[in-house]
Amino acid sequence: MTRPTTPAAPLDLFTPAFHQDPYAVLAELREAAGAVPVLTPNGLRTWLVTRYEDARALLADPRLSKDMRVGFQLVPKNFVDPAKREEFLREAGERSQFPQELAAHMLDSDPPDHTRLRRLVGRAFTARRVESLRPRITALVDGLLDGFAGRERVELMEALAFPVPFTVICWLLGVPPDDRADFRRWSNLLVSGAGTEEVRDANVAMIGYLRALIAAKRAEPADDLLSDLVHAGDEGDRLAAEELIPMAFLLLVAGHETTVNLIGNGALALLTHPGARARLAEDESLWPAAIEEFLRYDGPVSNATWRFTTEPVKVGDVLIPAGEFVTVSLAAAGRDPARHQDPDRLDLDRPNTAGLAFGHGIHHCLGAPLARLEGQIVLGRLFERFPGLRLAGPADGLRRRQSLMMRGLEELPVHPA
């Protein structure tokens, strides 16, 4: 019987070069061990899990917790560099002065809190509501594409990939058009890691705005998701006022960030794979399979949100002790040859495409059907209306976002014709 090992020297993995093209490195790590200790950009040690079956199992493993209240207490002991630890504690002390209303949402909770919150949100975030948005999303996309006509060059991320999902989530939350510029600015600051003072101001402004918006929906419900959340009930249960603000913020961020990158990465995949593009032009029934393959091949989320072990957990031949952080690499799992034959090839006919891009288990993304719908409409209409679309420069010159979680492009310049 092989005794589990616990390698101790973490890799400084998340470099700019890695973010540009992580797949060769991830393949080496996947071959080496079930889990490998690595350092996050701020110096925190976490265990990177790269194999599909391990990733799927751990995403649903109750021994891995997402309770932020407990996990935050484990952070200091998981720094290798004392200077990094002191820096973190100093910044944490500054941030502790922020209002905390945006933090306590279902993504960072365990059952039974998570079970209750997800049940209530699920009653409002239905498949029927998502499908009802199809005509409206199509009209939005066509309106944006009308603006491409006659232009020599378009930056696709700013002109299409971002505005569609952001506008749709504003529809769902009932954010009036006149408020969306401020809403976008606050949300960008809150996820950017910008300076403390800027983040504090955005935090206060976002909380104040959401509190007022929730009060308005409570007084005069409208046909939107936030109104449904305010009035959602299950056996007499309700989302409390202090739960609604972080839930609305979670839906805002999760509701557009993932889809932005799905659209950008999917567009790049088709721009660099003319055979797949030609097949979709000939047979539009392939689009659902294409979206699944984009999610696997170069998905919008590199790594699942943070978890920590509540007891020792064995991953392959590695034993992760209790009280350690675990990062599930969705990018690596999507290209595991044990799951997918010839995984580095884009293949619209690939079987077993149902993957982990939107997670697995109780934290599987509630908004996945909406992201798939938006991706299919945006990419389908884009390549149908502009069959001569081409990159405005070499693909290897495109810059990737320096993000631990998101896999996306900073810009995607194209020539529409």
Side-chain angles (χ1 to χ4, degrees):
M1 180 176 178
T2 302
R3 183 171 181 170
T5 60
T6 53
L11 302 173
D12 190 3
L13 183 66
F14 299 104
T15 64
F18 176 83
H19 287 301
Q20 280 297 110
D21 185 4
Y23 294 109
V25 175
L26 291 174
E28 292 178 7
L29 297 180
R30 190 172 52 232
E31 182 69 22
V36 178
V38 301
L39 294 177
T40 65
N42 69 350
L44 181 70
R45 183 182 65 242
T46 183
W47 293 79
L48 192 72
V49 176
T50 54
R51 297 171 182 168
Y52 178 90
E53 290 300 334
D54 293 333
R56 189 175 189 275
L58 290 178
L59 288 172
D61 193 326
R63 296 173 298 173
L64 270 63
S65 173
K66 296 185 99 280
D67 188 335
M68 182 184 63
R69 296 165 298 182
V70 177
F72 187 81
Q73 299 171 23
L74 298 173
V75 169
K77 87 176 188 70
N78 282 288
F79 275 95
V80 175
D81 184 343
K84 292 282 190 180
R85 179 170 57 248
E86 292 306 312
E87 181 182 355
F88 169 82
L89 291 173
R90 183 176 64 255
E91 292 181 354
E94 293 173 352
R95 289 179 181 271
S96 68
Q97 302 171 35
F98 293 8
Q100 296 299 308
E101 284 95 326
L102 299 181
H105 48 66
M106 67 179 180
L107 190 60
D108 289 339
S109 65
D110 295 330
D113 292 339
H114 174 272
T115 306
R116 171 181 168 270
L117 292 171
R118 187 177 177 99
R119 183 176 64 242
L120 288 170
V121 176
R123 291 171 62 88
F125 206 94
T126 62
R128 179 180 177 182
R129 178 186 291 278
V130 169
E131 183 56 34
S132 72
L133 291 170
R134 183 184 292 272
R136 195 175 179 188
I137 295 172
T138 302
L140 169 65
V141 172
D142 280 339
L144 292 169
L145 292 177
D146 287 344
F148 288 17
R151 295 175 62 181
E152 180 184 350
R153 180 185 173 106
V154 173
E155 202 291 281
L156 209 60
M157 301 304 292
E158 182 65 24
L160 188 64
F162 177 84
V164 172
F166 186 77
T167 301
V168 170
I169 203 63
C170 285
W171 291 345
L172 286 172
L173 293 178
V175 178
D178 290 346
D179 296 343
R180 290 174 191 170
D182 286 337
F183 211 51
R184 175 180 178 179
R185 179 168 53 84
W186 297 330
S187 64
N188 285 347
L189 282 168
L190 288 168
V191 300
S192 70
T196 301
E197 187 173 347
E198 289 180 293
V199 174
R200 180 187 296 111
D201 291 345
N203 189 296
V204 172
M206 179 68 86
I207 290 168
Y209 180 80
L210 289 175
R211 185 178 288 120
L213 187 63
I214 288 166
K217 303 299 181 184
R218 195 180 301 280
E220 296 185 28
D223 184 20
D224 56 57
L225 176 61
L226 187 56
S227 293
D228 285 357
L229 289 175
V230 169
H231 296 276
D234 186 38
E235 299 179 357
D237 198 2
R238 286 281 191 275
L239 285 166
E242 63 271 17
E243 296 172 321
L244 281 163
I245 291 174
M247 187 64 70
F249 178 67
L250 172 63
L251 292 172
L252 165 67
V253 175
H256 80 273
E257 274 278 359
T258 301
T259 312
V260 168
N261 296 325
L262 168 58
I263 293 168
N265 295 353
L268 179 60
L270 289 179
L271 288 165
T272 54
H273 292 81
R277 181 173 170 178
R279 290 198 63 204
L280 286 165
E282 295 169 359
D283 185 358
E284 64 180 19
S285 71
L286 291 172
W287 271 107
I291 295 298
E292 297 308 310
E293 180 65 349
F294 299 152
L295 289 167
R296 181 206 67 82
Y297 176 77
D298 196 22
V301 182
S302 296
N303 299 301
T305 50
W306 67 281
R307 288 161 167 79
F308 64 91
T309 53
T310 59
E311 60 183 84
V313 175
K314 186 180 177 184
V315 183
D317 59 353
V318 175
L319 184 67
I320 303 176
E324 301 268 328
F325 290 99
V326 175
T327 299
V328 175
S329 175
L330 305 179
R335 295 209 187 185
D336 186 347
R339 169 70 176 178
H340 300 291
Q341 185 177 8
D342 196 6
D344 294 326
R345 181 170 61 91
L346 187 76
D347 181 3
L348 303 189
D349 299 311
R350 185 180 299 280
N352 297 325
T353 52
L356 304 177
F358 291 109
H360 176 65
I362 64 171
H363 289 284
H364 181 271
C365 179
L366 270 173
L370 178 59
R372 288 183 168 101
L373 177 66
E374 290 180 69
Q376 185 173 334
I377 292 172
V378 172
L379 294 172
R381 297 298 293 153
L382 172 66
F383 285 95
E384 179 182 348
R385 291 190 54 178
F386 296 94
L389 191 76
R390 67 189 191 280
L391 286 171
D396 58 9
L398 297 171
R399 296 190 306 275
R400 291 285 180 171
R401 294 172 59 182
Q402 305 296 299
S403 170
L404 179 64
M405 189 170 73
M406 293 296 171
R407 170 77 178 159
L409 293 159
E410 291 185 2
E411 295 182 335
L412 183 56
V414 296
H415 297 304

